[in-house]
Amino acid sequence: MTAAPSATDPLALAAALTSRTRQLALGLEHGAAELLELVTPVTAELLLWWFGQDKVDERGALNFHVGQRQAILNAIVAHEVLGAVSLQDLYEKAAPQALLAGTLLAEVSAPKHAHPKYCFKIATGTGKTWVLQALLIRQLLNKNAALAQGREDARFTRHFMVVAPGLIVYERLLDAFCGKLIAGSAGGARDFGQSDLMQFADLFVPEGQREAVFAFVRGNVCAKHEIGLKATGNGMIAITNWHLLAEGDAAFEEAQETAADVASVAAPGALVPAHVVAAAVLPLAPGRATGNSLEVLDRRYARGNVLEFLADLPELLVFNDEAHHIHELRRAGEAAEVEWQKSLSRIAAPKGRRFVQVDFSATPYNTVGSGKKRSKLFFAHIVVDFDLHSAMRAGLVKSLVLDRRKEVGALPLDFKAERDEAGNPALSEGQRVMLRAGLHKLRKLERDFAAIDPQRHPKMLVVCEDTAVSPLVAQFLIEQEGLQDDEVMTIDSGRKAELGEKEWAPVRERLFAVDRHATPRVIVSVLMLREGFDVNNICVIVPLRSSQAPILLEQTIGRGLRLMWRGAEYADTKRENRERIQAGLEPGSLLDVLSIIEHPAFESFYADLLRAGLAGTTGEGMDSTSSTGDVLAAELREGYQAFDFAIPCIVREAEEESRHRALDIAALPPFSAMALAQLAALLGKGDTFVSHDLQSATLFGDYRVDGAVMQVAGYNDYLARLTRRISQALSEPLPRGNRVASHLALPYLQVDTAQLTGWLDDYIWTQLFAQDFDPLGESRGAQHWRLLLLQPVVEHITRVFALALREAQQTQTTGCTEVHARRLSETPRLLLRQAHSMPVSKCIYTRLGWPAQGGGLERTFIAWAQADAQVLAFCKVSETRHPFVRLRYVRHDGLAAFYSPDFLVRTEGAIHLVETKAQQQTIHPDVQRKRRAALAWCERINALQPQHRQGLPWHYVLLGEEIVQQWRSQGAHLAQLLDFARLRALDDSQAQGALW
């Protein structure tokens, strides 16, 4: 059990809530957590969809990581289980001891915290937007359920507002919710198919809820200029930046306050200032700094309408992305809120607990003090703490290294630009050296990365001190370092205003597509790209700013933290890098390593990471080693075609059509058990006759006819009931209780029931009793058709017709099986570790590798296959590079899944799919199920024409470690072992008592 947090811990609420949540969520993966009983059914369904082990396994890599999971669960416990109505209420329920420390109680009881309020401290590059969208979906679906049941639940809403700090984050949020802008479209249309919600629907939304969620998002997202104007359907998702919420300039507010003061005191002889009169009379006025600008007046009027609209909403949930912008400012020792926090407080005031504020930030703190006395004052409402250190340890972001070069370390401390007497800036020598060092590292990365993947394009980010310096950096890189104009891209805060919306659009598109293109190689910025610039390929950062503010340092580093190399083949290399950095060694490679050209002003910040073993150092020594470590590309060998494998993929099966030939009534056997006269003697007398003997007349084999329906009113009714029961019994398996369900009336295969009735009628009239029989006639006052109700007669008719219908069934094959071959050579290269691979000659690739951990059996198999002359060709299958080589099977828990065999091996007589397993794993239930699925797949493939399967039969082989070692030690051929161990289908006599 997690220890209780200290009362002096600035993150006490996050620690206490995390401890509480982990206890409640024990067993969640298997659907047995206490948490599931404490939340709504909708939330429980979402929790099982997001975190249930079956769904997690089914999605593979597409899942929430541990930090996102904890954030979502903490939010649900705080808001739904604890039901906090204010920040103070949350502290009292989750961390009451923390309220005894300092002035925390006074702070959390302030009016601005008088509603549910949560802050998520989540490291940059670890997917804050996914958490935001998951929480929004949970709110929406719970509100939908409450409305459908006609009840109110103040915890949930359909009204959302997502606030961004600036243009870059704003555009990123629109992309996430609405999809990318469609090039050349009028009116800024977006492709919803590229939105996060659509691309990752398998993660976010259960299948049965997707239509409702998609419809709501598509119809209710409002851009900042549409808030309060766009007609939405009972809800909205307003996306805006903070400028829309700023209430106005200080002069205008001062005038309004002065007018209020004047109105509160009677002074008949005093002259009132003109601006005070204007503030009292006019609803809006431009600021004095802008004169009488109508644009300012119009913006202020529109902004006021938006605030009024938001304040009038009955409920609202606000997501603040990059919420460190909302922190308090300290002026003359007093706290002052930023303008948009004032607007949020105004919007929240009339709503009470129906206003919810959710803040996201990697740096949710204020910096107080200076120099050695500088400290971080964290926000009071932080409910989860997944910081940069945790993300680094989990391998969710790049590892961090400082590039310490002798010439950089020898420079003076000041890295500011130089300025002449007129104030004109020029790059200092220190800045030039740092830029050259960064460019040197970038060029090395480009060369080394291209050797293993030419489509990976590392980038360098230069962060300048102001907008006057950034063009000087671009000029230096182009004129003195030889870069081309299109290889350097400058993005400053005022760039959009300079270009205009139409000119800015292609710049924005190029900026966010840098991962996919070789140019630009260098991106130069001041502060505009410090947030929301979500690209993966920033590998070198040159920080030319001299500011030592920790929040700016973390934001600068955050631009390069997103992973660039995400394939499973890089996992071992990146893990080893983290272990080497933790041990104080240089990393073995620079794959997913962020290199920062060391700036002396940032020494204290880096020192914290170095002491924690989360940052390493590199120097000139790495110039002589590869940036990719021992990762190398195994290319297709010359003449690879002789060793290639063509995997048959059945696109469409040949269709089988069932038909029935007409029954030959004359050939059907008559009823011969009793004479007609004997049957008549069995009948009772009078109209009171009811055949109670026909409650469950046997049809044949495993089928029965429910005889209760044979209590009929006449001959035509008898024919109809008998027809339906024969058809139904032949269509459906025998239900429990040996009774056929009366509500099922499915015709037997392709038989026309009207035609079957005609056959029955003809048979009764002409063939049933081997003589003409009139069922509508009478003798001795009894109608003849009643003879047909007797149990022996019904059994005979149903038996005869069941057998006749079975024999009359004909299967006709139409069309042909369509097969598409996928070749291993479609993947032209494999990325391997030199230390965990070997050269091979009977494979399409020059080398084959095995896992660094637990790959001993696979290494043995590769060496044996290479040495065995009876093996003509073989290849190690890569799950990521050969995704088409996979088989479907049903796991022991009943869920469908895929798996890939380890090897493909061709001998003279067959092609083998080989799975190698440690001995203890061979008896696992899922391994046994894979065997059955593989055998069925091979049988389907072997039924194809020889040209579709390379002229050879296909077999599946499961090899345990013991049998491999035993046969190899005895000098046997691998081909002989494969033929011996291949799976075979057993006939019924062999299958008795056998397990496979």
Side-chain angles (χ1 to χ4, degrees):
M1 184 171 178
T2 305
S6 168
T8 59
D9 184 357
L11 299 173
L13 178 60
L17 194 56
T18 298
S19 177
R20 178 79 167 268
T21 300
R22 286 174 178 169
Q23 294 298 318
L24 294 176
L26 286 175
L28 177 60
E29 294 81 1
H30 308 293
E34 181 183 356
L35 179 61
L36 297 173
E37 303 297 326
L38 302 176
V39 297
T40 67
V42 170
T43 301
E45 180 188 3
L46 287 173
L47 289 175
L48 292 175
W49 180 266
W50 291 334
F51 309 122
Q53 194 61 52
D54 54 347
K55 293 300 179 184
V56 170
D57 293 342
E58 184 178 335
R59 288 189 295 259
L62 180 64
N63 280 297
F64 294 112
H65 61 66
V66 61
Q68 294 169 323
R69 180 184 189 272
Q70 195 64 58
I72 293 170
L73 292 177
N74 280 17
I76 290 173
V77 169
H79 194 68
E80 194 167 333
V81 177
L82 300 181
V85 298
S86 67
L87 183 57
Q88 181 179 345
D89 185 33
L90 180 58
Y91 266 94
E92 291 173 351
K93 292 177 176 177
Q97 73 282 359
L99 295 175
L100 303 176
T103 60
L104 182 60
L105 178 58
E107 180 180 353
V108 301
S109 60
K112 66 178 182 180
H113 299 310
H115 53 261
K117 190 172 183 179
Y118 317 110
C119 178
F120 297 91
K121 183 174 181 285
I122 304 178
T124 298
T126 56
K128 295 190 295 290
T129 307
W130 278 21
V131 176
L132 186 157
Q133 290 173 308
L135 295 179
L136 186 149
I137 290 167
R138 168 183 157 268
Q139 282 276 333
L140 171 64
L141 294 181
N142 271 291
K143 189 66 173 181
N144 286 351
L147 293 175
Q149 297 169 10
R151 59 181 176 84
E152 277 293 323
D153 193 331
R155 297 173 298 177
F156 306 113
T157 182
R158 287 169 55 97
H159 290 85
F160 309 95
M161 181 167 67
V162 187
V163 183
L167 176 64
I168 298 296
V169 180
Y170 172 73
E171 295 286 351
R172 170 68 185 94
L173 289 170
L174 285 176
D175 290 347
F177 280 96
C178 305
K180 302 288 186 181
L181 284 167
I182 301 175
S185 64
R190 292 177 176 268
D191 181 5
F192 186 68
Q194 296 186 43
S195 66
D196 286 359
L197 198 59
M198 284 292 290
Q199 292 187 78
F200 310 118
D202 287 342
L203 171 63
F204 284 128
V205 196
E207 295 179 5
Q209 305 281 12
R210 289 180 191 174
E211 184 177 350
V213 173
F214 292 164
F216 179 84
V217 174
R218 297 192 71 169
N220 291 277
V221 170
C222 302
K224 58 185 178 181
H225 61 276
E226 299 174 321
I227 301 175
L229 302 176
K230 179 178 178 180
T232 57
N234 191 24
M236 72 169 187
I237 303 176
I239 301 178
T240 183
N241 51 17
W242 66 267
H243 303 83
L244 189 69
L245 300 180
E247 288 190 328
D249 61 273
F252 179 69
E253 293 180 9
E254 180 184 355
Q256 288 185 314
E257 293 173 0
T258 304
D261 292 339
V262 169
S264 65
V265 178
L271 294 176
V272 181
H275 72 279
V276 174
V277 175
V281 175
L282 299 176
L284 292 170
R288 285 174 291 181
T290 56
N292 293 316
S293 170
L294 293 180
E295 292 182 2
V296 174
L297 182 65
D298 183 64
R299 286 198 301 270
R300 190 186 305 282
Y301 178 75
R303 182 165 58 243
N305 281 350
V306 170
L307 292 177
E308 183 178 355
F309 167 76
L310 295 173
D312 288 342
L313 289 174
E315 56 192 22
L316 183 67
L317 191 157
V318 174
F319 293 105
N320 291 314
D321 199 4
E322 306 294 350
H324 42 268
H325 291 272
I326 208 168
H327 64 277
E328 293 178 338
L329 303 175
R330 297 280 172 174
R331 295 173 180 170
E334 295 185 1
E337 292 180 343
V338 294
E339 299 304 328
W340 61 308
Q341 175 59 65
K342 293 181 180 179
S343 298
L344 291 180
S345 298
R346 174 182 166 188
I347 294 168
K351 297 178 178 61
R353 73 169 300 182
R354 290 182 180 270
F355 180 86
V356 182
Q357 181 174 330
V358 179
D359 296 339
F360 292 89
S361 176
T363 53
Y365 57 80
N366 300 320
T367 302
V368 294
S370 60
K372 295 183 178 180
K373 296 183 178 180
R374 178 185 288 115
S375 62
K376 298 177 181 178
L377 184 62
F378 286 96
F379 296 177
H381 59 298
I382 297 173
V383 295
V384 73
D385 179 20
F386 188 72
D387 60 5
L388 181 60
H389 293 193
S390 302
M392 286 182 170
R393 291 190 182 98
L396 298 172
V397 295
K398 291 188 179 83
S399 298
L400 186 65
V401 299
L402 308 181
D403 195 23
R404 287 182 167 171
R405 296 177 173 271
K406 292 179 181 178
E407 65 270 20
V408 174
L411 290 173
L413 183 63
D414 192 0
F415 278 64
K416 292 183 179 180
E418 299 173 347
R419 299 181 186 272
D420 59 20
E421 296 179 355
N424 299 318
L427 293 182
S428 67
E429 186 58 29
Q431 290 176 323
R432 293 170 185 266
V433 171
M434 289 186 69
L435 289 171
R436 290 192 182 103
L439 198 56
H440 176 85
K441 177 60 68 73
L442 176 67
R443 286 167 172 159
K444 175 174 173 54
L445 293 177
E446 289 174 333
R447 290 193 303 270
D448 293 345
F449 287 179
I452 63 173
D453 191 344
Q455 302 305 313
R456 306 285 181 133
H457 308 292
K459 310 293 178 184
M460 182 171 85
L461 175 65
V462 181
V463 183
C464 301
E465 57 187 276
D466 59 44
T467 55
V469 175
S470 53
L472 299 179
V473 171
Q475 181 181 3
F476 170 77
L477 294 174
I478 294 172
E479 295 181 358
Q480 298 189 35
E481 294 301 318
L483 271 64
Q484 301 299 315
D485 289 349
D486 64 341
E487 293 179 331
V488 181
M489 186 176 190
T490 303
I491 302 293
D492 288 331
S493 301
R495 190 66 186 273
K496 181 183 177 182
E498 296 171 5
L499 295 177
E501 183 63 39
K502 184 176 295 185
E503 293 80 8
W504 166 250
V507 174
R508 176 188 59 211
E509 184 177 353
R510 182 179 178 223
L511 176 64
F512 282 91
V514 294
D515 287 347
R516 302 192 300 270
H517 304 289
T519 58
R521 298 166 62 194
V522 180
I523 301 166
V524 183
S525 179
V526 180
L527 287 178
M528 190 174 183
L529 300 184
R530 62 178 174 166
E531 297 153 338
F533 183 44
D534 298 337
V535 297
N536 303 320
N537 290 13
I538 300 294
C539 296
V540 182
I541 293 181
V542 181
L544 298 184
R545 293 182 60 89
S546 60
S547 170
Q548 299 181 43
I551 194 168
L552 289 178
L553 292 176
E554 291 191 40
Q555 291 167 8
T556 298
I557 292 173
R559 295 317 96 213
L561 287 176
R562 297 181 185 276
L563 295 177
M564 178 179 179
W565 303 86
R566 297 177 183 266
E569 56 265 47
Y570 311 111
D572 287 338
T573 299
K574 295 194 292 184
R575 176 184 50 77
E576 290 177 8
N577 276 345
R578 294 194 298 271
E579 292 173 353
R580 290 179 61 85
I581 291 173
Q582 180 71 33
L585 303 174
E586 284 193 350
S589 77
L590 295 181
L591 297 179
D592 271 337
V593 169
L594 175 61
S595 298
I596 300 179
I597 306 304
E598 186 180 12
H599 192 307
F602 302 157
E603 184 176 353
S604 62
F605 174 75
Y606 296 143
D608 292 339
L609 293 174
L610 290 169
R611 281 194 297 269
L614 298 173
T617 60
T618 59
E620 289 90 337
M622 283 208 72
D623 292 349
S624 59
T625 62
S626 173
S627 304
T628 59
D630 68 343
V631 175
L632 49 82
E635 307 281 354
L636 290 175
R637 70 180 339 101
E638 186 177 353
Y640 69 86
Q641 295 85 351
F643 309 106
D644 207 358
F645 289 86
I647 313 301
C649 299
I650 299 177
V651 179
R652 184 180 63 186
E653 300 275 11
E655 297 180 0
E656 291 186 350
E657 182 179 357
S658 296
R659 298 175 178 273
H660 277 83
R661 64 177 182 270
L663 297 186
D664 183 2
I665 301 301
L668 298 181
F671 179 77
S672 58
M674 302 176 71
L676 191 58
Q678 292 174 306
L679 287 174
L682 294 177
L683 285 177
K685 296 183 179 180
D687 294 335
T688 60
F689 169 79
V690 176
S691 178
H692 291 287
D693 297 332
L694 301 180
Q695 290 295 317
S696 184
T698 301
L699 179 62
F700 74 100
D702 291 331
Y703 295 93
R704 292 179 181 272
V705 174
D706 185 354
V709 299
M710 305 310 288
Q711 300 174 11
V712 296
Y715 176 63
N716 290 336
D717 191 17
Y718 169 84
L719 286 178
R721 300 294 183 91
L722 186 60
T723 298
R724 185 167 70 93
R725 286 310 180 184
I726 292 175
S727 299
Q728 177 179 323
L730 290 173
S731 302
E732 300 292 330
L734 183 66
R736 291 183 179 179
N738 295 335
R739 297 179 61 86
V740 178
S742 60
H743 66 282
L744 297 175
L746 303 176
Y748 170 61
L749 298 178
Q750 304 296 322
V751 174
D752 186 340
T753 54
Q755 190 175 30
L756 176 56
T757 301
W759 290 335
L760 286 169
D761 187 40
D762 290 345
Y763 177 72
I764 291 170
W765 279 79
T766 63
Q767 196 68 19
L768 177 60
F769 298 113
Q771 64 184 57
D772 291 341
F773 174 74
D774 181 6
L776 301 179
E778 290 188 14
S779 60
R780 300 180 181 180
Q783 296 175 326
H784 293 169
W785 65 267
R786 293 191 176 188
L787 294 171
L788 305 176
L789 293 172
L790 294 173
Q791 182 176 358
V793 177
V794 173
E795 288 180 349
H796 174 79
I797 295 174
T798 53
R799 184 184 304 110
V800 165
F801 271 81
L803 294 174
L805 290 173
R806 290 290 190 187
E807 293 173 357
Q809 180 182 345
Q810 296 176 325
T811 301
Q812 180 178 353
T813 301
T814 60
C816 59
T817 302
E818 183 178 344
V819 181
H820 175 63
R822 299 291 304 274
R823 295 185 175 272
L824 294 186
S825 57
E826 293 177 23
T827 300
R829 60 173 61 192
L830 295 179
L831 297 179
L832 308 172
R833 302 282 304 279
Q834 184 171 6
H836 302 287
S837 65
M838 67 174 62
V840 290
S841 61
K842 293 186 288 187
C843 178
I844 61 174
Y845 303 109
T846 55
R847 300 179 71 93
L848 286 179
W850 53 86
Q853 295 182 335
L857 178 58
E858 295 176 37
R859 177 183 182 178
T860 299
F861 188 94
I862 293 173
W864 195 5
Q866 174 66 25
D868 188 356
Q870 295 185 8
V871 173
L872 304 181
F874 72 103
C875 188
K876 175 79 169 65
V877 176
S878 168
E879 291 188 17
T880 55
R881 299 283 176 162
H882 303 127
F884 47 86
V885 187
R886 62 178 189 174
L887 308 180
R888 181 190 293 271
Y889 75 104
V890 179
R891 299 186 325 194
H892 70 281
D893 56 8
L895 295 174
F898 292 96
Y899 83 99
S900 297
D902 292 324
F903 294 94
L904 286 171
V905 181
R906 185 166 70 242
T907 62
E908 186 176 351
I911 295 175
H912 302 273
L913 286 76
V914 183
E915 181 84 2
T916 57
K917 288 290 183 186
Q919 199 63 38
Q920 65 273 17
Q921 294 179 342
T922 58
I923 60 175
H924 190 279
D926 279 344
V927 174
Q928 302 301 314
R929 289 177 174 272
K930 290 178 183 179
R931 296 173 66 182
R932 291 191 286 270
L935 179 61
W937 185 85
C938 289
E939 289 178 346
R940 292 179 63 204
I941 297 303
N942 292 333
L944 299 175
Q945 295 297 319
Q947 66 268 24
H948 293 316
R949 46 185 172 85
Q950 293 187 273
L952 294 171
W954 288 59
H955 302 305
Y956 179 82
V957 183
L958 175 63
L959 294 180
E961 190 168 8
E962 289 183 4
I963 194 171
V964 170
Q965 299 294 351
Q966 178 184 357
W967 279 59
R968 192 184 186 205
S969 64
Q970 294 175 355
H973 287 282
L974 174 60
Q976 294 174 330
L977 173 59
L978 295 179
D979 184 64
F980 169 78
R982 66 181 176 86
L983 297 189
R984 298 166 174 83
L986 303 180
D987 57 32
D988 292 340
S989 61
Q990 293 173 309
Q992 291 181 2
L995 294 176
W996 60 272

